[in-house]
Amino acid sequence: MSTTEELQTLVLTILDAKGTIPNTKDLITSDNKEVDQLALLGALKSLSIADKEMVKYETIEEEVWVLTNEGNEIADKGSHEAKVFDTIPVGEEGIAISALREILGETAKIGQGKAFKNKWVIKNGDNLVRAVDSIIDQTRIDLEVIRSTGTHSDQKVLFELRKRKLCDKHKVISYSVSKGPKFSLTIEKQARDVTFEMLQSGEWKTANFKKYNFDALGIPPSGGHLHPLMKVREEFRQIFFEMGFEEMPTNKFVESSFWNFDSLFQPQQHPARDAHDTFFLKDPAICTQFPTEYLKRVKEVHSIGGYGSTGYGYDWKIEEAQKLILRTHTTAVSSFMLYNLAQQKEFKPVKYFSIDRVFRNETVDATHLAEFHQVEGVIADKGLTLGDLIGFMNTFFNKMGVKNLRFKPAYNPYTEPSMEIFSYHQGLGKWVEMGNSGMFRPEMLEPMGLDPDVRVIAWGLGLERPTMIKYGINNIRELLGHKVNLTTIQNNPICLF
Ligand code: FB9
């Protein structure tokens, strides 16, 4: 393959000789080879850039029909149907189809059909017999025309032969070249930098410097890339900060069953608390550090109730509460934060949020892994109502570009009333479950020491679904895990809700 320099010289020499090059596809290199037009483009570009202007060139786009390998085979040796005809002996007897297959192999099968269609042969029992004395192998003729001219006078022939995968239409790019205002046979090497020598010699005053190409793309800085999930997380964080929320510390994946379940008034025999749904730790298996008075009140409200509640009426065991687990929701952190809030002398309204990993021992499928990121908003203030919760969620989701929410009554052990959140997703053309929400139960809040008229509303959603929808990812394994295609991570656009 000729180098750019060789191609530059070739172009300049011919221009000098002939003045123009009507079509570079007719160019032949010094070693008598066809010129690679793509490489030539590089040479033409370097000779015609802003401050060189040695040549000018126009792009020529041509549609050329080119034979496939099979097409070339037929143009060289004849069509399958012609071979079938030629193989059948003259006379009534003809030849057995099986024998024909023996002799011609695949060609027999393809050729037989076409030979029939051309009424060149007829069937007689299991034999094929010539139906005409001689034939014209039009297919071969047409293919030879296409090979030598790059087209055919009859478009129908082109499309029919393309259908038989014997030829195909190609776009051929070439150029017409002419001399530029600064045409010369010698390519002046342009200075790219002011060197010490130049400064010393003063040559910098006269040197012909290569102009800066401000459009040149710099080398993409190699650096880290935020995973799409982390980009969407950042978007959510900005929404919460805009709404005056404070971020909760979620850097502890290991939680006690007490804060993850018991403090949330989730009974110890609740199915979510068994190993099918929750990852329990073997070592360390338990923690024993709890606010003693508060723990007593939690034991009480679970076993005998209080604060207007009947409780669950079962024998609450501290051993169960001590078990260490991988948190199943960041609501465990919300509970801890609300308990601390209750310890403040003076109650002040708060708005908390958390976005971090939670772990559930679930069967992994296309949209579920054993861990996901929970996004949670919690607001504590006196006299808050369900209307406030719906209002806050509308504001929150609208900032994500999610409009017209619908709320469906739901159940959580720690909220009453509870609602699932739905939104009609135009792109998906269906109602999508966006998350869950509710008002924390007095059995959760009052044992903490919060004033009875303090209401706490909360809602939660995942990070994975919005990220998959935003980046058009259908299988969670493309988002997380060893199958993730790193280039999509590197090149995925910033996420703007
Ligand atoms: O994220 C979910 N859906 C969703 C969210 C946003 C979204 O954005 C689109 C770009 C516009 C699209 C979809 N879900 C919650 C709904 C479903 O995906 C659900 O199948 C999976 N859920 C997870 C739990 O799965 C076991 C998502 C996760 C979830 C569910 C509930 C909560 C948090 C996360 C909660 C809560 C809660 C309730 C009351 C009080 C406090 C917290």
Side-chain angles (χ1 to χ4, degrees), residues 308-335:
S309 168
T310 61
Y312 294 116
Y314 70 91
D315 170 22
W316 186 88
K317 291 187 181 45
I318 182 129
E319 296 74 21
E320 201 48 50
Q322 291 175 333
K323 290 180 179 170
L324 286 174
I325 61 171
L326 293 183
R327 64 177 177 219
T328 63
H329 49 195
T330 54
T331 319
V333 182
S334 308
S335 168

Side-chain angles (χ1 to χ4, degrees), residues 148-354:
S148 54
T149 65
T151 186
H152 193 286
S153 54
D154 180 342
Q155 289 294 306
K156 271 205 318 313
V157 169
L158 287 169
F159 298 135
E160 203 248 329
L161 290 173
R162 172 163 61 183
K163 219 168 38 250
R164 293 170 62 186
K165 297 195 173 14
L166 299 179
C167 68
D168 206 346
K169 185 159 64 174
H170 288 208
K171 188 186 286 184
V172 174
I173 304 276
S174 60
Y175 308 92
S176 69
V177 188
S178 55
K179 289 181 180 176
K182 293 186 188 156
F183 177 81
S184 94
L185 266 176
T186 52
I187 303 169
E188 193 196 343
K189 269 257 161 284
Q190 291 175 305
R192 292 168 183 279
D193 299 311
V194 180
T195 60
F196 174 71
E197 294 70 26
M198 277 178 160
L199 293 172
Q200 275 204 315
S201 66
E203 190 215 336
W204 62 272
K205 291 196 191 87
T206 54
N208 166 6
F209 285 99
K210 181 176 183 339
K211 273 208 182 25
Y212 266 115
N213 171 4
F214 291 103
D215 307 330
L217 289 179
I219 298 157
S222 61
H225 296 269
L226 269 183
H227 185 286
L229 272 174
M230 295 302 114
K231 290 182 177 173
V232 177
R233 179 176 73 161
E234 202 44 42
E235 284 297 307
F236 277 122
R237 294 181 75 237
Q238 293 319 315
I239 290 175
F240 277 117
F241 290 138
E242 272 165 33
M243 294 173 72
F245 281 69
E246 188 187 332
E247 185 158 23
M248 293 187 260
T250 54
N251 54 350
K252 233 170 21 86
F253 292 175
V254 174
E255 193 55 86
S256 66
S257 294
F258 178 80
W259 288 110
N260 194 88
F261 293 122
D262 295 279
S263 69
L264 293 171
F265 195 55
Q266 187 149 354
Q268 294 187 335
Q269 64 286 64
H270 188 286
R273 294 185 68 159
D274 68 27
H276 294 102
D277 285 351
T278 298
F279 294 106
F280 287 83
L281 264 66
K282 202 171 24 258
D283 174 26
I286 66 164
C287 108
T288 56
Q289 303 311 309
F290 301 107
T292 333
E293 291 315 307
Y294 171 46
L295 184 135
K296 279 207 201 86
R297 293 196 295 273
V298 169
K299 169 182 176 68
E300 228 170 72
V301 77
H302 276 248
S303 46
I304 58 173
Y307 321 102
S309 168
T310 61
Y312 294 116
Y314 70 91
D315 170 22
W316 186 88
K317 291 187 181 45
I318 182 129
E319 296 74 21
E320 201 48 50
Q322 291 175 333
K323 290 180 179 170
L324 286 174
I325 61 171
L326 293 183
R327 64 177 177 219
T328 63
H329 49 195
T330 54
T331 319
V333 182
S334 308
S335 168
F336 183 74
M337 294 296 284
L338 290 169
Y339 173 75
N340 291 330
L341 178 70
Q343 307 326 301
Q344 314 301 318
K345 303 242 171 317
E346 166 70 34
F347 168 77
K348 70 174 184 29
V350 293
K351 293 194 271 189
Y352 292 146
F353 81 91
S354 62

Side-chain angles (χ1 to χ4, degrees), residues 331 360 362 368 372 374 376 400 402 412 414-415 425 432-438 458-462 465-466 469:
T331 319
R360 299 199 179 169
E362 282 176 349
H368 282 83
F372 65 90
Q374 175 166 350
E376 177 153 316
M400 278 170 64
V402 174
N412 301 307
Y414 36 87
T415 52
H425 197 281
V432 175
E433 183 196 345
M434 307 300 285
N436 195 311
S437 65
W459 70 91
L461 60 151
R465 290 278 281 136
I469 290 173

Side-chain angles (χ1 to χ4, degrees), residues 14 18 20-26 58 60 174-177:
I14 295 173
K18 303 223 182 75
T20 65
I21 303 172
N23 192 326
T24 56
K25 80 172 183 199
D26 312 327
E58 304 290 325
I60 303 169
S174 60
Y175 308 92
S176 69
V177 188

